[in-house]
Structure formats: C-alpha cells, structure tokens
Amino acid sequence: MSVDVALPPAERHQHHRDVTGGWLRPAVFGAMDGLISNFALISGVVGGGASNTIVVVTGLAGLAAGAFSMAAGEYTSVASQAELMRAEIDIEKAELERNPEGELAELVALYEARGLDAETAEGVARQLTAQPELAWRVHVREELGVDPDDLPSPYVAAFSSFTAFALGAIVPLVPFMLGATGLAVAAVISVLGLLGAGAVVARLTARPWWKGALRQLALGVAAAAATFGIGSLVGTSLS
C-alpha cells in the first residue's frame, strides 16, 4: 500500500537586499551633501567672523535651500528616467505587434548568445512570447535591462533626498543652536558624523567600513577647510 505525502510548496529564499527601490542613492548622496555642504557653509561664515545668530540663520537657510533643491533635482531626474523607460516600453510593445517574428528571432538569438542551443532557445522563446502580456515584459527585461514592474519612484527619491539632506545638514548646526560661538564643537561632531556616515555607506555596499569612513572624512574636511579659508579672507578684507 502506497501513501501519498503532500509536500509543502517550495519556499522562496531572499538572499539579496533591495537595490532597485530608488531610495539608496538619493539618501546616501543627500546625507553626505547635507553634512559636508552645511559644515563648509558654517565654517565659511564662522571664518568670516559672523555672530552666533548669523551662523544659525545661515545654517538653517542652507539646510532648507539644499534640502528643497536636492528633492526637486531628484524628483525631476528620476521622473525623467521613468518616462524614458515607459517610452521605450511602448516602442517595444508596438514592435511586438508590428513584427512578432522579428522580435521572436531577436529573443532566440539572445538566448543562444547566453549558451542555449538553437532548438532550446527557440522553444523557450516561443513559450515565453506565446502570451502577449508576458511577451512584452520578457522583451523589455531581456533587451532593455529594465524591470517594468519595478520602475524607480520619483516620490521615493525626492523624499529620501530631502530627509537625508536635512538630517545631514542639521548635524554641524546643532552646537550653534545650543549657543556655541566657536567652530571646535561643530567640527568634532561633523567629523564623527562624516566617519559614521561613510562607515554606514561602506557597510551597505559591502566595502570595508574604515575605507568609506576615511574617504568621507577626507572629502568633508577638505571642503570645510577651503570654505573656512575663503570666509577668513573675505571677512578680513571687509573688516
């Protein structure tokens, strides 16, 4: 007597992080840009001999202007990219309707180039393109390298960029909002922020954390030092 045993459905294991959502690049770039640019801006103003009030107002203005500018730029960039992708998808759909055999031949050739024999490549291509709704998705993924069901969102990119820039820009400003008049405390906090942000980015991209931390520190300190020097020269010449 045989016993039928129902096997559970195969589980889908996810071993990779989501790198297509359109949030990582603007968030990383926004945080770094906010921290470096506002630290450099504040350094220049302090170098020019500005009072605490002027430093805070300038820092807040830099935060707001930078955050809105970053968000607008990211929205426009990602929206334009998505619109271009959709236009190419429409072209691919039209080509499938106008010349299905030619598009089938392209898919067969692509699979042959990837190592399938001619018979297997044609069989796979015909099965995939037999369903119109599936056919254009397959062609878009294979020919354009685009996932039509996972296009980047301009809203996600804009929000990520705005929030990250604001968070980065507030770091060097906090000491002055609490009454500081010199650059020392802000410099220490900004250095720690640069090291931490660089380390986090390095870990997200599977790089050694110390390399990312030191690289970001070097860039940030160079920008702040240059701006402080310019501010000092301008402040001296105007006094």
Side-chain angles (χ1 to χ4, degrees), residues 11-100:
E11 295 182 6
R12 180 182 178 183
H13 296 283
Q14 182 67 34
H15 298 292
H16 301 284
R17 292 166 290 185
D18 178 19
V19 296
T20 61
W23 64 270
L24 180 59
R25 185 188 65 84
V28 169
F29 181 59
M32 296 298 187
D33 192 25
L35 179 54
I36 292 174
S37 64
N38 224 28
F39 180 41
L41 176 63
I42 290 171
S43 298
V45 176
V46 173
S51 65
N52 176 275
T53 300
I54 293 177
V55 172
V56 171
V57 171
T58 302
L60 289 175
L63 184 156
F68 281 110
S69 176
M70 288 284 294
E74 282 296 333
Y75 179 88
T76 302
S77 174
V78 176
S80 299
Q81 181 185 15
E83 289 165 2
L84 176 60
M85 290 179 180
R86 291 189 183 97
E88 291 298 317
I89 289 172
D90 289 339
I91 292 174
E92 193 63 34
K93 288 180 178 179
E95 284 295 314
L96 278 168
E97 292 182 2
R98 186 183 64 85
N99 185 21

Side-chain angles (χ1 to χ4, degrees), residues 8 29 34 45 54 59 84 87 121 126 150 162 166 182-183 200 204 213 216 222:
F29 181 59
V45 176
I54 293 177
L84 176 60
R126 287 193 179 278
D150 193 22
F162 181 94
L183 195 60
V200 169
L204 286 173
Q216 201 56 45

Side-chain angles (χ1 to χ4, degrees), residues 219-233:
L219 293 173
V221 169
T227 312
F228 181 85
I230 293 172
S232 298
L233 291 174

